[in-house]
Amino acid sequence: MALLVLLLTGLGALLYWDVKAFLISSTAVRLRAQAKPVIERWLIDVQAGEAATQFLLSIAANLARDLTSRDTTALILDHNGAVLANGRLLPEEPLPAPVDPERVARALAGENEITYSVMVGDQHTMVLLIPLRPQPGHPDIVGVAQLNTPLTAVDQILWREQRLIIFGSVLTILLGMAGSFWLTSSALRPLRRMTDACGRIAAGDFSERVNLPHRHSGQTRDEVVQLASAFNDMITRIEDTFASQQRFIADAAHELRTPLTAIKGSLEVLLRGSQDDPTNAKRLTRAMYNEVERLSRLTEQLLDLTQLQNGIILHRSLIDLERWLQEEFMPQAHLLVKESHLELRPGEPTKLYVDPDALKQVLFNLIDNAVQHTSTNGNIQLGWQATASAVNIWVADDGEGIAPVDLPHIFSPFYRGDRSRSRLRGGAGLGLTIVKRIVEAHGGEVRVASTPGEGTCVTLLFPVNPVLSGV
């Protein structure tokens, strides 16, 4: 509003002075246009020198009278600035303005456009000085005609213009204040809704949303509506993340409670006297040992998953995939599969720029998952295939497969399609979650194909860097 006041004040002042200059200029032009033919008619026979001075003295009274009218009074001055004649005869004609010797001297020196204003009595008056020459453009000046006219009409127009500007500015400011108040209130109303929604969300109500009408401006939605939409999307993601964390904590607590309950039960049996029976005590101790191992594996997986969520630091190097699998991975993998049969299906020779330790962890998780879901003496295959843009490493088994309803959820932490079977075999549903995050950290992706009763194939797609791998 302060800026609006400044702009209106500046614009009003500019308009006022422009109108004032125009009116005064127009009045001056009108007086000069009226006086010019009268002066030329009276000076048509004048000659330069002393004759011109005598001639001007003889016509001064008549010239002054012809230049005088109801709204204009004329004085004729000689070449010394002395008044020769005053054209005012009637009382209703304006009073003559006093002679300004300095300005008259400038007119006698040849300056044509001399216009100024003075107060004559109580009237604002404009004064014009017109040099009198024998002929138009002649260098000699024989005298000066002083014309003055009241600016009463101009002042009245300017006063009316001033009042209109002030009234218009005040009205505009008042309307601007009312309009800006309405506009600000309208613009802040959805923001207040968002503030209230933020308060309720901060209190724990993640179902809260900002519901605003979808206002449109052309093809572009209102910016506040866009902000509300982005805010709702953000809250939806926060709600999903919070719900995911809650599920993760609940599942983790459930997975930890199961082995702890088993250990507690075994200890209670031992405390009731089973320690006196060596066979029973050995069985219970073995069971507790297995549960502790399970807790250890689960703890390591949880730590791995936490580190992956906090960001994965990869130590990449260029490896010969076939040589690395044969020398670094397969000897340890054979110990993991136990009774199952693990077969390496080599592809074409290729090099891969990866973190070898991270790749080993991924493949161990996949093979351990395959062992859990295949029968004793089941077949597990590990192989790869190189293309121009990626290296596809796959692990396939001939186990029971994954039900179609479970496929969309297999990368979720703690998700297992067959909980009883997985729990008996020690799985916690974190293996594929870790696999997916490690592969994505390499810029790749994981694809799973499975048919119930026929087996599962997990394919890892690692992008090829042509500069580093040479492929």
Side-chain angles (χ1 to χ4, degrees):
M1 291 308 303
L3 181 60
L4 178 61
V5 170
L6 290 175
L7 289 174
L8 288 175
T9 302
L11 181 61
L14 179 63
L15 180 63
Y16 176 82
W17 288 109
D18 183 66
V19 171
K20 180 179 180 180
F22 171 76
L23 292 175
I24 292 177
S25 175
S26 298
T27 302
V29 169
R30 176 178 61 82
L31 289 181
R32 291 182 186 278
Q34 291 174 350
K36 183 178 179 180
V38 175
I39 294 173
E40 289 181 352
R41 186 174 68 249
W42 280 102
L43 295 180
I44 191 171
D45 296 326
V46 71
Q47 301 295 325
E50 290 295 330
T53 303
Q54 294 299 323
F55 182 78
L56 180 61
L57 180 60
S58 64
I59 66 169
N62 293 328
L63 176 59
R65 186 59 197 159
D66 281 356
L67 292 174
T68 300
S69 63
R70 190 175 183 83
D71 64 350
T72 305
T73 295
L75 296 179
I76 304 300
L77 311 177
D78 64 10
H79 65 282
N80 294 318
V83 177
L84 297 179
N86 181 353
R88 181 176 184 269
L89 296 179
L90 302 176
E92 60 268 20
E93 294 173 343
L95 293 173
V99 176
D100 185 336
E102 182 180 349
R103 290 189 173 93
V104 170
R106 286 163 48 195
L108 290 171
E111 187 174 344
N112 291 317
E113 302 291 335
I114 298 179
T115 304
Y116 59 96
S117 61
V118 295
M119 292 299 297
V120 178
D122 58 351
Q123 283 190 325
H124 185 208
T125 302
M126 182 175 65
V127 181
L128 287 79
L129 299 181
I130 303 175
L132 300 177
R133 306 173 187 271
Q135 291 89 26
H138 198 283
D140 293 338
I141 297 174
V142 298
V144 174
Q146 174 179 298
L147 306 178
N148 63 270
T149 184
L151 293 175
T152 304
V154 172
D155 289 340
Q156 289 176 349
I157 294 174
L158 290 177
W159 173 241
R160 186 168 62 252
E161 189 76 15
Q162 187 178 32
R163 284 186 296 175
L164 287 174
I165 291 174
I166 293 174
F167 176 77
S169 298
V170 171
L171 180 61
T172 302
I173 291 171
L174 292 176
L175 292 176
M177 290 177 64
S180 63
F181 177 78
W182 173 83
L183 183 62
T184 303
S185 300
S186 176
L188 292 180
R189 190 176 300 114
L191 298 181
R192 293 193 188 99
R193 291 187 187 178
M194 295 182 67
T195 302
D196 296 339
C198 286
R200 289 189 287 270
I201 291 168
D205 184 8
F206 289 100
S207 63
E208 181 67 29
R209 296 293 183 273
V210 180
N211 298 316
L212 298 180
H214 285 67
R215 296 173 291 180
H216 291 266
S217 176
Q219 298 298 322
T220 304
R221 292 195 301 170
D222 185 276
E223 288 81 357
V224 176
V225 176
Q226 294 180 15
L227 175 61
S229 177
F231 179 82
N232 288 338
D233 293 341
M234 179 188 69
I235 297 305
T236 299
R237 296 187 63 181
I238 291 176
E239 183 182 19
D240 293 341
T241 302
F242 185 77
S244 176
Q245 289 179 345
Q246 295 282 37
R247 288 193 302 269
F248 181 86
I249 293 172
D251 290 340
H254 179 75
E255 293 295 335
L256 291 171
R257 184 175 59 184
T258 301
L260 288 174
T261 302
I263 294 172
K264 180 182 178 182
S266 298
L267 288 173
E268 289 176 348
V269 173
L270 287 173
L271 290 173
R272 286 198 298 264
S274 293
Q275 70 271 19
D276 297 332
D277 183 353
T279 302
N280 195 27
K282 183 177 181 180
R283 180 181 59 81
L284 292 173
T285 304
R286 172 60 62 182
M288 287 188 292
Y289 178 78
N290 290 337
E291 294 298 334
V292 170
E293 276 195 328
R294 181 179 172 188
L295 279 173
S296 178
R297 288 196 302 272
L298 179 58
T299 303
E300 289 178 358
Q301 288 182 328
L302 287 173
L303 289 174
D304 290 341
L305 192 59
T306 301
Q307 291 175 353
L308 293 177
Q309 289 175 336
N310 293 334
I312 303 175
I313 300 177
L314 299 176
H315 302 282
R316 301 193 191 199
S317 61
L318 193 62
I319 63 172
D320 185 310
L321 185 58
E322 182 175 8
R323 181 178 178 182
W324 181 83
L325 287 172
Q326 292 281 9
E327 298 179 0
E328 298 290 334
F329 180 75
M330 291 301 291
Q332 300 177 41
H334 282 299
L335 299 176
L336 179 66
V337 297
K338 299 179 182 178
E339 294 89 356
S340 299
H341 177 66
L342 176 62
E343 178 186 1
L344 182 64
R345 302 289 295 272
E348 55 270 30
T350 186
K351 293 182 180 181
L352 190 60
Y353 188 63
V354 293
D355 185 331
D357 293 334
L359 179 60
K360 184 180 292 185
Q361 181 182 5
V362 166
L363 295 178
F364 274 141
N365 282 350
L366 292 179
I367 291 177
D368 180 63
N369 193 66
V371 171
Q372 293 180 28
H373 292 85
T374 56
S375 60
T376 304
N377 299 321
N379 295 312
I380 302 172
Q381 296 180 350
L382 169 62
W384 74 88
Q385 180 182 6
T387 66
S389 59
V391 175
N392 305 331
I393 303 175
W394 47 269
V395 175
D397 62 61
D398 58 358
E400 70 269 19
I402 303 173
V405 68
D406 296 327
L407 275 176
H409 309 287
I410 59 175
F411 295 111
S412 301
F414 297 106
Y415 183 84
R416 292 170 303 186
D418 188 344
R419 289 185 174 271
S420 60
R421 179 185 297 265
S422 297
R423 183 171 291 114
L424 290 172
R425 298 185 180 184
L430 295 176
L432 286 179
T433 304
I434 295 174
V435 167
K436 184 173 185 291
R437 293 183 180 177
I438 291 177
V439 174
E440 288 179 347
H442 283 82
E445 61 175 305
V446 182
R447 296 177 182 175
V448 179
S450 182
T451 303
E454 296 183 8
T456 302
C457 180
V458 181
T459 305
L460 314 176
L461 284 75
F462 288 95
V464 170
N465 189 321
V467 176
L468 294 174
S469 66
V471 177

mmCIF file of all heavy atoms in Angstrom, residues 14 19 49 92 112 122 139 148 164 183 213 258 289 302 350 378-379 419 434 438:
data_model
loop_
_atom_site.group_PDB
_atom_site.id
_atom_site.type_symbol
_atom_site.label_atom_id
_atom_site.label_comp_id
_atom_site.label_asym_id
_atom_site.label_seq_id
_atom_site.Cartn_x
_atom_site.Cartn_y
_atom_site.Cartn_z
ATOM 1 N N LEU A 14 2.981 14.358 -11.616
ATOM 2 C CA LEU A 14 3.410 14.444 -13.011
ATOM 3 C C LEU A 14 2.262 14.910 -13.903
ATOM 4 O O LEU A 14 2.441 15.781 -14.772
ATOM 5 C CB LEU A 14 3.926 13.069 -13.469
ATOM 6 C CG LEU A 14 4.402 12.974 -14.923
ATOM 7 C CD1 LEU A 14 5.605 13.884 -15.151
ATOM 8 C CD2 LEU A 14 4.747 11.540 -15.280
ATOM 9 N N VAL A 19 -0.322 19.098 -17.135
ATOM 10 C CA VAL A 19 -1.510 19.876 -17.532
ATOM 11 C C VAL A 19 -1.263 21.367 -17.341
ATOM 12 O O VAL A 19 -1.644 22.193 -18.183
ATOM 13 C CB VAL A 19 -2.731 19.404 -16.714
ATOM 14 C CG1 VAL A 19 -3.926 20.328 -16.942
ATOM 15 C CG2 VAL A 19 -3.099 17.978 -17.090
ATOM 16 N N GLY A 49 16.028 53.346 -37.244
ATOM 17 C CA GLY A 49 16.679 54.579 -36.819
ATOM 18 C C GLY A 49 15.732 55.463 -36.032
ATOM 19 O O GLY A 49 14.746 55.020 -35.448
ATOM 20 N N GLU A 92 -13.177 46.997 -16.535
ATOM 21 C CA GLU A 92 -13.242 45.540 -16.539
ATOM 22 C C GLU A 92 -12.025 44.909 -17.206
ATOM 23 O O GLU A 92 -11.835 43.692 -17.151
ATOM 24 C CB GLU A 92 -14.522 45.046 -17.221
ATOM 25 C CG GLU A 92 -14.690 45.473 -18.662
ATOM 26 C CD GLU A 92 -15.465 46.785 -18.777
ATOM 27 O OE1 GLU A 92 -15.521 47.517 -17.769
ATOM 28 O OE2 GLU A 92 -16.000 47.054 -19.868
ATOM 29 N N ASN A 112 13.105 36.458 -28.073
ATOM 30 C CA ASN A 112 11.712 36.505 -28.505
ATOM 31 C C ASN A 112 10.736 35.880 -27.507
ATOM 32 O O ASN A 112 9.684 36.439 -27.231
ATOM 33 C CB ASN A 112 11.555 35.802 -29.854
ATOM 34 C CG ASN A 112 12.227 36.581 -30.978
ATOM 35 O OD1 ASN A 112 12.111 37.803 -31.038
ATOM 36 N ND2 ASN A 112 12.930 35.883 -31.859
ATOM 37 N N ASP A 122 -4.630 40.665 -6.607
ATOM 38 C CA ASP A 122 -4.850 39.315 -6.080
ATOM 39 C C ASP A 122 -5.029 38.303 -7.198
ATOM 40 O O ASP A 122 -5.525 37.201 -6.972
ATOM 41 C CB ASP A 122 -6.084 39.302 -5.168
ATOM 42 C CG ASP A 122 -7.341 39.773 -5.890
ATOM 43 O OD1 ASP A 122 -7.208 40.255 -7.033
ATOM 44 O OD2 ASP A 122 -8.437 39.656 -5.315
ATOM 45 N N PRO A 139 17.144 42.830 -37.499
ATOM 46 C CA PRO A 139 17.956 42.849 -36.271
ATOM 47 C C PRO A 139 17.658 44.035 -35.350
ATOM 48 O O PRO A 139 17.885 43.951 -34.147
ATOM 49 C CB PRO A 139 19.391 42.908 -36.797
ATOM 50 C CG PRO A 139 19.274 43.496 -38.167
ATOM 51 C CD PRO A 139 17.965 43.017 -38.718
ATOM 52 N N ASN A 148 -0.281 41.187 -20.807
ATOM 53 C CA ASN A 148 -0.547 40.372 -19.609
ATOM 54 C C ASN A 148 -2.020 39.996 -19.563
ATOM 55 O O ASN A 148 -2.891 40.786 -19.971
ATOM 56 C CB ASN A 148 -0.146 41.111 -18.339
ATOM 57 C CG ASN A 148 -0.913 42.375 -18.098
ATOM 58 O OD1 ASN A 148 -0.508 43.459 -18.547
ATOM 59 N ND2 ASN A 148 -2.042 42.273 -17.376
ATOM 60 N N LEU A 164 -9.600 16.355 -8.628
ATOM 61 C CA LEU A 164 -9.865 15.053 -9.248
ATOM 62 C C LEU A 164 -8.729 14.069 -8.982
ATOM 63 O O LEU A 164 -8.966 12.886 -8.700
ATOM 64 C CB LEU A 164 -10.072 15.228 -10.758
ATOM 65 C CG LEU A 164 -11.400 15.860 -11.191
ATOM 66 C CD1 LEU A 164 -11.395 16.105 -12.698
ATOM 67 C CD2 LEU A 164 -12.568 14.949 -10.801
ATOM 68 N N LEU A 183 -7.759 -9.998 -1.362
ATOM 69 C CA LEU A 183 -6.845 -10.867 -2.101
ATOM 70 C C LEU A 183 -5.886 -11.591 -1.157
ATOM 71 O O LEU A 183 -5.639 -12.794 -1.294
ATOM 72 C CB LEU A 183 -6.050 -10.032 -3.117
ATOM 73 C CG LEU A 183 -5.098 -10.799 -4.035
ATOM 74 C CD1 LEU A 183 -5.879 -11.776 -4.895
ATOM 75 C CD2 LEU A 183 -4.321 -9.834 -4.910
ATOM 76 N N PRO A 213 -9.986 -26.490 -3.518
ATOM 77 C CA PRO A 213 -10.650 -26.545 -4.832
ATOM 78 C C PRO A 213 -9.618 -26.360 -5.931
ATOM 79 O O PRO A 213 -8.677 -25.588 -5.795
ATOM 80 C CB PRO A 213 -11.634 -25.374 -4.779
ATOM 81 C CG PRO A 213 -11.068 -24.445 -3.750
ATOM 82 C CD PRO A 213 -10.400 -25.323 -2.732
ATOM 83 N N THR A 258 11.132 -64.689 18.332
ATOM 84 C CA THR A 258 10.958 -66.136 18.128
ATOM 85 C C THR A 258 12.144 -66.942 18.644
ATOM 86 O O THR A 258 11.959 -67.877 19.445
ATOM 87 C CB THR A 258 10.706 -66.408 16.641
ATOM 88 O OG1 THR A 258 9.533 -65.701 16.227
ATOM 89 C CG2 THR A 258 10.506 -67.900 16.392
ATOM 90 N N TYR A 289 21.905 -73.429 20.698
ATOM 91 C CA TYR A 289 23.016 -73.000 19.842
ATOM 92 C C TYR A 289 22.500 -72.606 18.449
ATOM 93 O O TYR A 289 22.911 -71.595 17.872
ATOM 94 C CB TYR A 289 24.050 -74.112 19.744
ATOM 95 C CG TYR A 289 25.208 -73.767 18.834
ATOM 96 C CD1 TYR A 289 26.231 -72.931 19.253
ATOM 97 C CD2 TYR A 289 25.247 -74.272 17.528
ATOM 98 C CE1 TYR A 289 27.279 -72.607 18.405
ATOM 99 C CE2 TYR A 289 26.294 -73.947 16.676
ATOM 100 C CZ TYR A 289 27.312 -73.110 17.128
ATOM 101 O OH TYR A 289 28.350 -72.780 16.278
ATOM 102 N N LEU A 302 20.385 -57.380 9.702
ATOM 103 C CA LEU A 302 19.836 -56.081 10.081
ATOM 104 C C LEU A 302 20.899 -54.991 10.015
ATOM 105 O O LEU A 302 20.629 -53.874 9.561
ATOM 106 C CB LEU A 302 19.246 -56.155 11.497
ATOM 107 C CG LEU A 302 17.927 -56.926 11.641
ATOM 108 C CD1 LEU A 302 17.554 -57.067 13.102
ATOM 109 C CD2 LEU A 302 16.808 -56.233 10.871
ATOM 110 N N THR A 350 34.038 -62.142 -20.130
ATOM 111 C CA THR A 350 33.677 -60.731 -19.972
ATOM 112 C C THR A 350 34.304 -60.181 -18.706
ATOM 113 O O THR A 350 34.668 -60.932 -17.792
ATOM 114 C CB THR A 350 32.150 -60.552 -19.910
ATOM 115 O OG1 THR A 350 31.825 -59.176 -19.890
ATOM 116 C CG2 THR A 350 31.591 -61.195 -18.651
ATOM 117 N N GLY A 378 18.636 -80.857 -4.399
ATOM 118 C CA GLY A 378 18.103 -80.024 -5.466
ATOM 119 C C GLY A 378 19.216 -79.435 -6.330
ATOM 120 O O GLY A 378 20.399 -79.440 -5.968
ATOM 121 N N ASN A 379 18.837 -78.949 -7.498
ATOM 122 C CA ASN A 379 19.797 -78.409 -8.465
ATOM 123 C C ASN A 379 19.740 -76.882 -8.464
ATOM 124 O O ASN A 379 18.668 -76.280 -8.578
ATOM 125 C CB ASN A 379 19.501 -78.932 -9.872
ATOM 126 C CG ASN A 379 19.702 -80.429 -9.974
ATOM 127 O OD1 ASN A 379 20.724 -80.957 -9.525
ATOM 128 N ND2 ASN A 379 18.726 -81.133 -10.546
ATOM 129 N N ARG A 419 5.901 -68.537 5.734
ATOM 130 C CA ARG A 419 6.615 -68.166 6.948
ATOM 131 C C ARG A 419 7.077 -69.391 7.736
ATOM 132 O O ARG A 419 8.179 -69.407 8.274
ATOM 133 C CB ARG A 419 5.733 -67.269 7.820
ATOM 134 C CG ARG A 419 5.545 -65.884 7.233
ATOM 135 C CD ARG A 419 4.758 -64.999 8.183
ATOM 136 N NE ARG A 419 4.708 -63.639 7.663
ATOM 137 C CZ ARG A 419 5.615 -62.712 7.914
ATOM 138 N NH1 ARG A 419 6.653 -63.009 8.661
ATOM 139 N NH2 ARG A 419 5.503 -61.504 7.415
ATOM 140 N N ILE A 434 18.429 -56.948 0.607
ATOM 141 C CA ILE A 434 19.845 -56.554 0.545
ATOM 142 C C ILE A 434 20.359 -56.676 -0.875
ATOM 143 O O ILE A 434 21.094 -55.815 -1.380
ATOM 144 C CB ILE A 434 20.662 -57.415 1.527
ATOM 145 C CG1 ILE A 434 20.228 -57.118 2.964
ATOM 146 C CG2 ILE A 434 22.149 -57.184 1.346
ATOM 147 C CD1 ILE A 434 20.859 -58.008 3.999
ATOM 148 N N ILE A 438 21.971 -53.480 -3.104
ATOM 149 C CA ILE A 438 23.374 -53.510 -3.551
ATOM 150 C C ILE A 438 23.445 -53.390 -5.066
ATOM 151 O O ILE A 438 24.262 -52.630 -5.616
ATOM 152 C CB ILE A 438 24.066 -54.796 -3.061
ATOM 153 C CG1 ILE A 438 24.237 -54.752 -1.538
ATOM 154 C CG2 ILE A 438 25.420 -54.976 -3.737
ATOM 155 C CD1 ILE A 438 24.853 -55.998 -0.957
#
